[in-house]
Amino acid sequence: MNIKIIGVGKLKEKYLKQGIAEYAKRLGTFCKFQIVEVPDEKAPEKLSPAEMEGVKEKEGERILAKIKDKEYVYALAIEGKERSSEEFAKELEDLGTYGTSDITFVIGGSLGLSPEVLKRANTKISFGRFTLPHQLMRMVLAEQIYRGFMINAGRPYHKQEIN
């Protein structure tokens, strides 16, 4: 299985780079994992709604250029469906079982994703209503992908909730 995260902007924080590198190493047991960065669009602090859409459109074009037709695409979006770790693990397993070996996750820039990227996505996923820095989201997502593989492998990383 090939797992790719496309993120807008360059990751600068050393601690995030280290965390993502650790999960990338762990994921090597289960899949080919890569992170693709696309440049963010430089914009002033205060933007009109039209300027915001222009920024998202330009970033969206860069994102779409990195997605192949055969890839199954998850767009990270607040309006997406929330899943438990177990539900997410099952989705990953089902995708692999039914022949989808290329899975791409897209994390937009500070303004979010363009309508074109959201339209290309096969599904939208939300990690809740919290607003998180998009750079931090890369590490959170990498951890959840790893957790999903560990759940599917029946390995003791994920603690099951006891009722």
Side-chain angles (χ1 to χ4, degrees):
M1 186 174 276
N2 300 304
I3 304 274
K4 174 170 60 179
I5 296 175
I6 299 174
V8 173
K10 195 135 189 77
L11 195 59
K12 298 173 187 90
E13 294 82 359
K14 186 178 176 183
Y15 71 97
L16 291 175
K17 286 181 180 180
Q18 290 171 331
I20 291 168
E22 177 61 28
Y23 287 113
K25 183 175 84 175
R26 293 179 186 192
L27 279 163
T29 304
F30 303 105
C31 65
K32 181 178 177 243
F33 178 77
Q34 66 173 321
I35 292 191
V36 175
E37 293 179 334
V38 298
D40 54 349
E41 189 64 20
K42 301 297 176 224
E45 264 320 289
K46 301 220 187 260
L47 296 172
S48 71
E51 289 170 321
M52 283 190 214
E53 288 307 309
V55 167
K56 289 196 294 188
E57 186 179 315
K58 287 176 184 165
E59 290 175 348
E61 288 168 4
R62 293 176 191 142
I63 290 167
L64 291 170
K66 302 292 182 185
I67 299 173
K68 296 182 181 78
D69 288 343
K70 66 179 180 166
E71 294 174 12
Y72 187 91
V73 177
Y74 280 89
L76 275 71
I78 288 175
E79 69 274 11
K81 179 183 173 216
E82 290 184 40
R83 295 145 168 91
S84 69
S85 295
E86 294 85 359
E87 290 168 334
F88 181 58
K90 174 100 173 78
E91 276 185 42
L92 290 176
E93 184 175 56
D94 289 349
L95 285 169
T97 299
Y98 297 109
T100 302
S101 58
D102 296 304
I103 301 171
T104 298
F105 295 86
V106 180
I107 303 171
S110 58
L111 298 176
L113 293 167
S114 71
E116 294 80 13
V117 172
L118 292 171
K119 188 175 160 193
R120 168 59 182 89
N122 298 87
T123 189
K124 294 179 208 151
I125 187 169
S126 173
F127 282 72
R129 293 174 53 197
F130 284 115
T131 300
L132 296 173
H134 52 280
Q135 298 92 342
L136 175 61
M137 197 61 230
R138 291 182 200 179
M139 188 167 75
V140 171
L141 176 57
E143 189 280 334
Q144 283 299 301
I145 294 168
Y146 175 69
R147 182 178 297 274
F149 279 109
M150 292 296 281
I151 289 169
N152 291 337
R155 308 244 313 262
Y157 175 78
H158 178 74
K159 305 285 189 260
Q160 295 294 330
E161 190 174 301
I162 300 169
N163 293 328

